[in-house]
Amino acid sequence: KLIIIVKIKNIIMNDYDDYVKHSKKITDVKMSMSVLSWDQETKMPKNGSKFRAQQLSTLAEISHELSTHKKYGDLLNHLNSNENLSNDQKRNVYLSLKAFNKAAKYNSEFIIEESKLISNAFQKWRLAKDNNNFSIFEDSLTKLVDLRIKECEILGYDKHPYDALLNQYEPGLTTAQVENIFSDVKEFLVPFINKISKSNKIDDSFFYKKYSHDKQWDFGIELLKNMEYNFNSGRQDLSAHPFSTHFSPDDARVTTRIDEDNLSEMIWSCIHEGGHALYEQGILPENYGLPLGETISLGIHESQSRLWENNVGRSIEYWNCNYDSLKSIFPNQLSDVSVNDFYKAANSVKPSLIRTNADELTYHLHVLIRFEIEKELIEGKISVKDLPSIWNHKYKEYLNITVPSDSLGVLQDIHWSHGSFGYFPTYTIGSFYAAQFFNQAKVENPNLLNDIKDGNNKNLLKWLREKIHENGKRYDAHVLCEQVTGEKLDFRFFKKYVIEKYSNLYSI
């Protein structure tokens, strides 16, 4: 009997090893695609776009074939019914089987078409943005919207087609839930922002003096190092739209954007993308290629970037540590600016054109606008050709801003050129997770703010590593939130944070 049991266990482990080997092969192909995509957005010469689209399409097809291979599906189904696996092994198999069943809904033609459309759409978006002409991008975007509508039907949904797209980024999230989230935003944030608008204005004009490109770059590198971003496992480059990407825990990269007439753009782009990259660098390398070696959801991912960008990067403690260094680099521009002046300006609340440059309160109105537009596009209520006028109308309605151009309006985000519909709501959800996580971190470490003031971010990063990063996909997002904080995601943490911080800043 003992011999039989040992043989059965060996068979099980051999099957599991075969699964791991195949899963890692799929990941290798996907990460190769990510390298090409990173290059496309940072280093690739203009004439490389034609063949890059073909290369990405070929790899996408290979990835899909590996992900939907019948023997792989049979193996997953076999392992999924086995009770002798460890809890982590069961979780890996369960999530891989879920991904297999989803991938099997697509045919090769869809995957190839999607890859080519996205590669071409990115080039058209960049050209349209450079030329301030939405019509250049219109046809590509129309095709992507049509493809996503088709995808909703392929994936299936219970109540609203947009649910299928949300589920790609925040599993289990529904359109109705997002609408409830934004009802909280409208009910609390809109009147609170209006109250701020009637109080004394904060002077942030010094942000818009002339700041050397190269010196800004150097300071951004310094900020990333201060966050404990590991440059031996990453790098920073420039891109039209700041983003982070990863190819393994040992290679998680960031990009930033530098405007010599706007210092704030570089600072919080670096911190935001650095937060994303720290999450990827914190994934356990031994889980590479498996679900436990992946991040949970975009909402949790955004919680990491928003936590570093806002809860840390816009705090007085953070600038008590970093401001002297910044002032030494730009002594003329900041000669009459105290650290308290800088802190206030970093948190100035006012309507703005660009989402990535928005303050942490009006930011959510930018996200709301995009959610409403995406939802109506998928419903077929509006058409792509009308997006500039719809966009401009909503910016006037929600932010009382007149949009002067396509480049500063409907073309400002890269997401739609990637076909990333359903992504934007995770920015707001991530901010709410961030407030709740940061509150818990302070509860567990009463000296946390003093650590930040002293330039010691190791304790915060260690807490995030242990509580969030190293878990990979061990838990669903809502389960992780309860594990970490003892409660489900609750808007009251963000509300409390906002009231305490901004009531003091604006004396309201």
Side-chain angles (χ1 to χ4, degrees):
K1 287 183 179 180
L2 181 61
I3 293 172
I4 292 172
I5 291 171
V6 170
K7 285 184 176 179
I8 290 172
K9 284 186 176 179
N10 286 337
I11 292 170
I12 292 168
M13 290 316 298
N14 286 339
D15 286 345
Y16 188 80
D17 288 343
D18 287 343
Y19 150 68
V20 170
K21 184 178 179 181
H22 192 88
S23 182
K24 287 185 176 181
K25 186 180 292 186
I26 295 169
T27 301
D28 288 343
V29 175
K30 289 181 177 178
M31 293 302 101
S32 298
M33 291 173 66
S34 293
V35 174
L36 290 180
S37 296
W38 167 84
D39 175 73
Q40 178 175 254
E41 296 185 31
T42 56
K43 303 292 185 183
M44 187 184 77
K46 288 183 179 180
N47 290 343
S49 60
K50 177 184 175 183
F51 288 105
R52 182 54 46 86
Q54 176 182 313
Q55 292 154 359
L56 285 167
S57 176
T58 298
L59 289 175
E61 185 178 11
I62 293 171
S63 173
H64 183 252
E65 288 172 354
L66 289 170
S67 300
T68 58
H69 198 285
K70 185 180 182 302
K71 286 186 178 180
Y72 179 51
D74 292 342
L75 179 60
L76 288 171
N77 279 298
H78 171 65
L79 287 170
N80 193 50
S81 61
N82 196 303
E83 293 299 320
N84 294 306
L85 299 176
S86 69
N87 288 336
D88 279 356
Q89 289 172 335
K90 288 178 181 177
R91 180 68 174 170
N92 278 330
V93 170
Y94 165 75
L95 290 173
S96 292
L97 180 58
K98 189 176 179 181
F100 172 85
N101 289 331
K102 175 187 168 186
K105 293 181 178 181
Y106 300 93
N107 57 36
S108 296
E109 289 74 19
F110 181 95
I111 298 300
I112 294 168
E113 180 187 8
E114 178 186 48
S115 179
K116 287 182 177 178
L117 276 178
I118 289 172
S119 290
N120 290 326
F122 171 72
Q123 300 303 327
K124 293 293 186 181
W125 167 77
R126 188 157 62 178
L127 186 63
K129 185 174 169 64
D130 289 344
N131 288 275
N132 186 32
N133 186 351
F134 177 77
S135 65
I136 296 173
F137 182 47
E138 182 184 320
D139 182 59
S140 291
L141 183 56
T142 299
K143 290 176 181 177
L144 278 176
V145 170
D146 290 343
L147 189 76
R148 290 296 172 241
I149 292 172
K150 179 181 177 182
E151 184 177 28
C152 292
E153 299 306 317
I154 290 172
L155 293 173
Y157 52 88
D158 289 330
K159 295 183 178 179
H160 196 285
Y162 192 69
D163 292 350
L165 301 179
L166 288 170
N167 192 59
Q168 307 268 60
Y169 302 103
E170 195 66 19
L173 185 67
T174 66
T175 306
Q177 288 172 327
V178 175
E179 288 172 335
N180 286 335
I181 287 167
F182 280 116
S183 72
D184 286 333
V185 169
K186 291 177 181 178
E187 182 180 340
F188 166 68
L189 268 188
V190 172
F192 192 78
I193 291 169
N194 287 337
K195 193 182 292 186
I196 287 174
S197 69
K198 296 172 184 175
S199 64
N200 293 329
K201 298 292 184 290
I202 290 175
D203 180 17
D204 64 353
S205 59
F206 59 83
F207 272 124
Y208 307 100
K209 294 181 179 179
K210 201 76 174 177
Y211 292 88
S212 159
H213 179 284
D214 291 347
K215 289 181 178 180
Q216 284 195 61
W217 172 267
D218 291 341
F219 184 67
I221 297 294
E222 188 177 321
L223 291 178
L224 287 167
K225 288 179 179 178
N226 176 261
M227 293 169 64
E228 301 296 325
Y229 175 73
N230 184 355
F231 274 95
N232 289 325
S233 297
R235 58 178 287 130
Q236 179 170 262
D237 291 275
L238 295 171
S239 64
H241 186 105
F243 71 96
S244 65
T245 191
H246 71 282
F247 317 128
S248 74
D250 294 329
D251 193 349
R253 306 182 186 189
V254 297
T255 71
T256 193
R257 181 169 59 199
I258 295 177
D259 182 347
E260 290 195 329
D261 299 314
N262 183 358
L263 177 63
S264 65
E265 187 159 310
M266 178 281 299
I267 290 175
W268 285 284
S269 288
C270 284
I271 300 173
H272 178 97
E273 301 306 338
H276 279 305
L278 287 176
Y279 188 3
E280 296 293 350
Q281 290 183 345
I283 296 291
L284 295 176
E286 57 263 34
N287 289 326
Y288 171 83
L290 300 169
L292 263 64
E294 299 171 0
T295 55
I296 297 171
S297 71
L298 263 296
I300 298 298
H301 224 309
E302 289 302 330
S303 79
Q304 301 307 283
S305 58
R306 299 294 283 172
L307 185 151
W308 283 101
E309 177 189 356
N310 294 323
N311 302 91
V312 176
R314 295 185 194 270
S315 70
I316 184 62
E317 291 81 13
Y318 185 82
W319 289 106
N320 276 332
C321 169
N322 292 290
Y323 185 62
D324 284 345
S325 175
L326 178 65
K327 195 168 185 176
S328 69
I329 296 172
F330 299 109
N332 295 329
Q333 295 92 329
L334 301 173
S335 60
D336 299 325
V337 180
S338 69
V339 65
N340 204 48
D341 293 334
F342 188 89
Y343 163 68
K344 287 181 177 179
N347 292 284
S348 173
V349 176
K350 59 183 179 181
S352 59
L353 282 166
I354 307 299
R355 175 185 61 83
T356 54
N357 296 347
D359 61 82
E360 61 179 323
L361 302 191
T362 61
Y363 182 90
H364 300 289
L365 301 183
H366 290 263
V367 177
L368 171 59
I369 289 168
R370 288 153 176 79
F371 165 64
E372 290 185 348
I373 288 175
E374 287 189 353
K375 179 172 169 283
E376 292 188 339
L377 279 171
I378 299 304
E379 289 172 340
K381 289 183 178 178
I382 59 176
S383 63
V384 168
K385 66 181 177 61
D386 296 323
L387 283 190
S389 61
I390 293 169
W391 180 284
N392 297 350
H393 174 77
K394 286 183 178 292
Y395 263 76
K396 191 66 179 176
E397 177 187 356
Y398 284 112
L399 290 159
N400 196 28
I401 284 181
T402 299
V403 179
S405 66
D406 289 347
S407 293
L408 294 174
V410 70
L411 289 171
Q412 67 178 267
D413 293 302
I414 198 173
H415 302 64
W416 289 343
S417 74
H418 286 168
S420 300
F421 292 87
Y423 188 122
F424 282 114
T426 65
Y427 285 118
T428 286
I429 292 166
S431 294
F432 298 166
Y433 273 128
Q436 196 159 331
F437 290 149
F438 194 68
N439 178 77
Q440 187 64 28
K442 289 191 294 182
V443 168
E444 296 184 26
N445 178 7
N447 292 317
L448 181 60
L449 295 181
N450 285 329
D451 286 344
I452 294 170
K453 184 178 180 181
D454 293 338
N456 173 19
N457 291 309
K458 291 181 180 179
N459 290 333
L460 174 58
L461 182 57
K462 181 175 183 291
W463 187 87
L464 293 170
R465 289 272 196 260
E466 294 172 354
K467 300 288 185 177
I468 299 171
H469 303 173
E470 293 174 1
N471 279 306
K473 280 186 175 176
R474 184 172 284 117
Y475 310 108
D476 291 338
H478 68 280
V479 175
L480 178 83
C481 186
E482 290 191 64
Q483 292 263 21
V484 174
T485 70
E487 299 184 55
K488 295 179 180 178
L489 178 64
D490 195 322
F491 180 71
R492 82 176 197 276
F493 289 98
F494 180 77
K495 184 176 179 179
K496 179 175 179 287
Y497 160 74
V498 166
I499 290 172
E500 288 179 356
K501 180 176 181 177
Y502 288 92
S503 293
N504 182 54
L505 273 166
Y506 280 93
S507 302
I508 54 175

